[in-house]
Amino acid sequence: MENIDVIYRHVGDASFYWSQIDKISYSNTVTIDGVLNFEKILTAHLDGVIEANRIGWDISLNQLERWRGAGEIFVCSFIALSSPPELSLPKWKIIEKILIADPYRMLRGVVSAILRLKNRESRNWIIHFLKQRDSDLTKIIAWRCLAASSNIISQ
């Protein structure tokens, strides 16, 4: 049985460390070693959430619904989009409904989550989003991903 408090901690800390990494370009005191350390800690917390399976997803979604921040949507999107194919699209649809309410605040968290996936998974999601005819928002996400990492499609 999973320890719920530990999973909540993983979700919260993953959101926190992603937020720190997201804002790091505004700091003149953080070194590359600091960035790499944050990345290592973020990866460990994301691994903890993924390992928790359904409970990890439920808690990350709960935190997204509660706080509606870029860090929370990053964690939730990463968990959803790295899920097995039969689960990832239904999870994404839940996230998308939340994202639509405040895309300006949360969009960069989704883009970052997609770019953090393995290249093949990122490419598949970007292509999927570009093909969506009923959602300008998913196209914006895809184009921002491409702008941030233009080599992802060619690989």
Side-chain angles (χ1 to χ4, degrees), residues 18-152:
W18 177 83
S19 296
Q20 295 305 300
I21 293 166
D22 184 51
K23 293 178 177 108
I24 223 157
S25 63
Y26 301 110
S27 173
N28 61 355
T29 60
V30 178
T31 64
I32 189 64
D33 290 334
V35 173
L36 294 173
N37 188 49
F38 281 3
E39 279 288 334
K40 184 174 142 185
I41 294 168
L42 173 59
T43 298
H45 286 298
L46 288 172
D47 288 347
V49 179
I50 288 171
E51 187 66 30
N53 292 316
R54 177 65 188 194
I55 294 172
W57 162 252
D58 289 345
I59 292 172
S60 62
L61 180 59
N62 172 272
Q63 293 303 291
L64 173 58
E65 289 171 335
R66 180 177 182 194
W67 299 108
R68 295 182 180 263
E72 290 78 21
I73 206 162
F74 163 78
V75 174
C76 212
S77 296
F78 184 79
I79 300 308
L81 301 178
S82 59
S83 295
E86 66 275 6
L87 299 176
S88 59
L89 193 54
K91 288 177 180 179
W92 167 251
K93 291 299 183 186
I94 294 168
I95 293 168
E96 188 177 24
K97 288 177 184 172
I98 296 168
L99 177 62
I100 288 169
D102 193 0
Y104 180 77
R105 183 174 176 207
M106 295 185 274
L107 196 65
R108 71 183 188 281
V110 175
V111 170
S112 183
I114 292 169
L115 294 176
R116 192 171 188 89
L117 298 170
K118 295 176 185 157
N119 280 349
R120 185 176 187 194
E121 293 171 346
S122 293
R123 183 175 55 248
N124 290 343
W125 279 107
I126 291 168
I127 291 167
H128 173 78
F129 286 164
L130 286 172
K131 290 180 178 179
Q132 298 304 299
R133 300 201 187 284
D134 59 342
S135 175
D136 290 337
L137 186 57
T138 57
K139 289 179 187 154
I140 291 168
I141 292 167
W143 286 115
R144 286 198 180 178
C145 287
L146 289 171
S149 183
S150 60
N151 68 338
I152 211 160

